């Protein structure tokens, strides 16, 4: 191939229109976002590890999601923080390809875990008498890593030419493909097919399960309607945040009248990649009665063992 170049590293550009005077502000924002995401999800993992009462299928799935969220934030954020804090956007060739694979892996993992959480809720509401005897949860968790290794583009054998600058906050399939020599239409098609499969197969089941839950509760359990609708509404918001922007980003090249500037593309991608990991632990901790009771008990126990200052006797002389 003419102009063949063996790329040794890529450069993360980040937001092309961002002025240098805002670099440190953006770096601090991403730093606090990363810190909050990791601490919140790690707290959920610690609660699960220390409390035997939580060691059951539903919470195993929830902790799996927390670990996936920590992984996604750790893969994405440290490099973009370094880009704006120390102007260090360089990323080795193989490191970039590893980031592509990990972002795909954790994204697919989160999508499939959301499907399994919907499955757990579906079994609990629609088949309450058989729910405790169904061991499908554990078997599904065992095959999660295999399901997440769907077909991804193998960039390591492709030639790169021209610029090595990635107009994005991280390396992903859609940002690396434009740097490949020749016609990348086949690679784009493969990436789109893989992404849509990982997105719409779980999403289709999630929608189906929610419809079944609503029908079951509406006809058979009037007392639980408000609670069930509240739970479904909360999870529905999280799912909408995750799926709708992702669909827009991947569909933009195929919709003629839909155009996105690089800055809007990056913001949208970061929105669906980082917002769910940020809010998931707070939603599940605040809306799960069992976890709230455990946290209250921990706080109360901490207060009980906190030493108080001894009383000081004061002598008053007349």
């Amino acid at each position: 191939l003419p102009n063949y170049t063996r790329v040794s590293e890529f450069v993360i550009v980040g937001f092309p229109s961002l002025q240098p005077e805002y670099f440190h502000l953006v770096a601090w924002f991403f730093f606090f976002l990363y810190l909050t995401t990791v601490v919140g999800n790690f707290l959920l993992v610690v609660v699960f590890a220390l409390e035997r009462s939580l060691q059951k299928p539903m919470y195993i799935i929830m902790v799996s999601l927390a670990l996936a969220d920590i992984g996604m934030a750790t893969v994405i954020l440290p490099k973009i923080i370094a880009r704006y804090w120390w102007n260090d956007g360089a990323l080795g060739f193989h490191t970039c390809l590893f980031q592509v694979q990990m972002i795909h892996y954790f994204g697919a993992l989160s999508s499939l875990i959301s499907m399994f959480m919907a499955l757990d809720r579906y079994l609990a509401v629609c088949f309450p008498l058989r729910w405790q005897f169904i061991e499908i949860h554990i078997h599904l968790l065992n095959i999660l890593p295999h399901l997440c290794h769907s077909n991804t583009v193998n960039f390591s054998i492709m030639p790169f030419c021209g610029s090595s600058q990635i107009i994005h906050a991280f390396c992903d399939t859609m940002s690396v493909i434009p740097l490949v020599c020749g016609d990348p239409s086949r690679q784009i098609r493969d990436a789109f097919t893989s992404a849509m499969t990982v997105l719409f197969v779980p999403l289709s089941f999630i929608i189906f399960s929610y419809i079944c839950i609503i029908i079951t509760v509406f006809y058979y359990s009037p007392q639980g309607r408000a609670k069930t609708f509240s739970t479904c509404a909360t999870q529905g918001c999280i799912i909408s945040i995750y799926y709708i922007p992702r669909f827009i980003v991947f569909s933009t090249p195929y919709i003629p009248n839909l155009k996105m500037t690089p800055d809007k593309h990056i913001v949208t991608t970061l929105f669906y990649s980082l917002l769910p990991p940020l809010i998931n632990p707070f939603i599940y901790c605040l809306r799960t009665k069992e976890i709230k009771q455990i946290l209250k008990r921990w706080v109360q126990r901490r207060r009980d063992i906190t030493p108080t200052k001894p009383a000081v006797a004061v002598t008053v002389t007349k």
Side-chain angles (χ1 to χ4, degrees):
L1 284 176
N3 298 328
Y4 174 85
T5 304
R6 182 63 182 175
V7 176
S8 60
E9 68 176 20
F10 294 102
V11 177
I12 301 297
V13 174
F15 300 98
S17 301
L18 186 66
Q19 298 302 314
E21 57 264 27
Y22 299 110
F23 279 13
H24 277 77
L25 181 63
V26 171
W28 276 108
F29 171 77
F30 283 128
F31 173 77
F32 284 116
L33 180 66
Y34 179 60
L35 188 64
T36 306
T37 300
V38 171
V39 171
N41 284 282
F42 185 72
L43 176 62
L44 199 61
V45 175
V46 170
V47 172
F48 172 81
L50 297 180
E51 293 291 334
R52 289 185 175 273
S53 62
L54 297 181
Q55 297 176 9
K56 44 193 175 184
M58 178 58 189
Y59 291 105
I60 293 175
I61 298 173
M62 193 181 297
V63 168
S64 299
L65 180 62
L67 292 173
D69 289 343
I70 293 174
M72 178 64 86
T74 302
V75 168
I76 291 177
L77 285 173
K79 191 61 196 179
I80 192 64
I81 293 172
R83 161 69 182 93
Y84 285 118
W85 223 332
W86 301 293
N87 197 27
D88 180 15
L91 201 62
F93 178 80
H94 292 289
T95 304
C96 180
L97 300 190
F98 178 76
Q99 191 179 48
V100 171
Q101 294 293 326
M102 288 298 98
I103 287 173
H104 172 84
Y105 176 80
F106 286 121
L109 188 62
S110 298
S111 182
L112 292 169
I113 290 175
S114 297
M115 181 182 72
F116 295 154
M117 293 180 75
L119 170 64
D120 184 90
R121 180 59 55 186
Y122 168 73
L123 295 175
V125 174
C126 299
F127 302 96
L129 299 180
R130 298 175 55 192
W131 179 52
Q132 294 182 347
F133 301 97
I134 297 177
E135 297 181 355
I136 191 172
H137 308 76
I138 304 300
H139 296 295
L140 288 173
L141 287 173
N142 289 334
I143 65 173
L144 264 176
H146 305 286
L147 291 175
C148 292
H149 284 294
S150 58
N151 294 328
T152 55
V153 180
N154 186 4
F155 290 108
S156 61
I157 61 174
M158 293 183 180
F160 289 84
C161 52
S163 174
S164 62
Q165 291 187 340
I166 293 179
I167 312 299
H168 209 308
F170 50 84
C171 293
D172 72 342
T173 301
M174 301 306 292
S175 63
V176 175
I177 282 177
L179 306 182
V180 177
C181 295
D183 182 13
S185 58
R186 180 177 175 274
Q187 289 80 10
I188 293 176
R189 186 172 60 253
D190 292 343
F192 181 80
T193 302
S194 175
M196 292 301 103
T197 302
V198 172
L199 284 177
F200 282 105
V201 171
L203 181 59
S204 299
F205 180 82
I206 291 170
I207 293 174
F208 168 78
S209 67
Y210 280 0
I211 292 173
C212 293
I213 290 171
I214 292 172
I215 293 174
T216 301
V217 172
F218 185 80
Y219 282 104
Y220 299 104
S221 180
Q223 297 83 1
R225 289 179 188 174
K227 181 179 178 181
T228 302
F229 286 146
S230 176
T231 302
C232 289
T234 302
Q235 294 183 353
C237 290
I238 298 175
I239 290 167
S240 298
I241 291 171
Y242 182 83
Y243 284 101
I244 294 177
R246 191 180 294 261
F247 172 75
I248 294 173
V249 167
F250 279 94
S251 300
T252 298
Y254 299 91
I255 302 176
N257 296 327
L258 183 59
K259 303 294 182 182
M260 296 182 70
T261 65
D263 288 322
K264 290 181 180 178
H265 177 86
I266 295 171
V267 169
T268 306
T269 306
L270 291 175
F271 178 80
Y272 70 67
S273 298
L274 300 177
L275 186 59
L278 176 67
I279 64 178
N280 278 338
F282 299 100
I283 289 177
Y284 293 125
C285 286
L286 294 176
R287 296 190 64 86
T288 305
K289 183 178 180 181
E290 200 168 358
I291 294 180
K292 285 196 295 185
Q293 290 176 344
I294 290 171
L295 294 176
K296 288 179 181 178
R297 189 168 68 245
W298 284 10
V299 173
Q300 185 61 42
R301 190 183 304 167
R302 177 69 178 176
R303 289 176 179 174
D304 292 341
I305 65 175
T306 300
T308 57
K309 293 182 180 181
V312 179
V314 178
T315 304
V316 179
T317 56
K318 295 183 179 179

